[in-house]
Amino acid sequence: MVTIAAGEVRIRHGLHQVAVHKQSEGRRLRIIDPAHLDGVAGRNGAVRRTEIAAATVPGLSPPPSLLRPLAGYEAVIGGSF
């Protein structure tokens, strides 16, 4: 839930307040506090599994195969790749 009062924007999730910002002076502006993203996957770039990242180094083993075959997706959407 988002509430705006006394020049502040307060963002709550359930019973917990997750963010408070000063209300922006203009319209359609975004205010982003990087600290609010601490602990969120991807905050500092793409998330990569260790074994896949290591496989991009020359001389190491190739990356693992797909974890799920594409045939399963083909069956769901009724087509093929």
Side-chain angles (χ1 to χ4, degrees):
M1 174 171 53
V2 178
T3 57
I4 302 171
E8 290 184 327
V9 177
R10 296 182 179 273
I11 303 164
R12 301 180 65 82
H13 182 281
L15 299 176
H16 303 284
Q17 180 171 283
V18 294
V20 177
H21 296 282
K22 178 181 166 225
Q23 187 175 356
S24 67
E25 305 267 335
R27 295 182 54 171
R28 297 185 165 314
L29 299 176
R30 291 176 60 184
I31 300 173
I32 300 172
D33 183 350
H36 293 168
L37 301 174
D38 285 345
V40 175
R43 180 191 191 289
N44 296 319
V47 177
R48 299 176 68 186
R49 291 191 350 202
T50 307
E51 62 270 16
I52 293 173
T56 61
V57 176
L60 296 178
S61 62
S65 62
L66 293 173
L67 299 176
R68 182 180 298 170
L70 293 178
Y73 294 103
E74 292 175 5
V76 170
I77 64 169
S80 64
F81 293 97

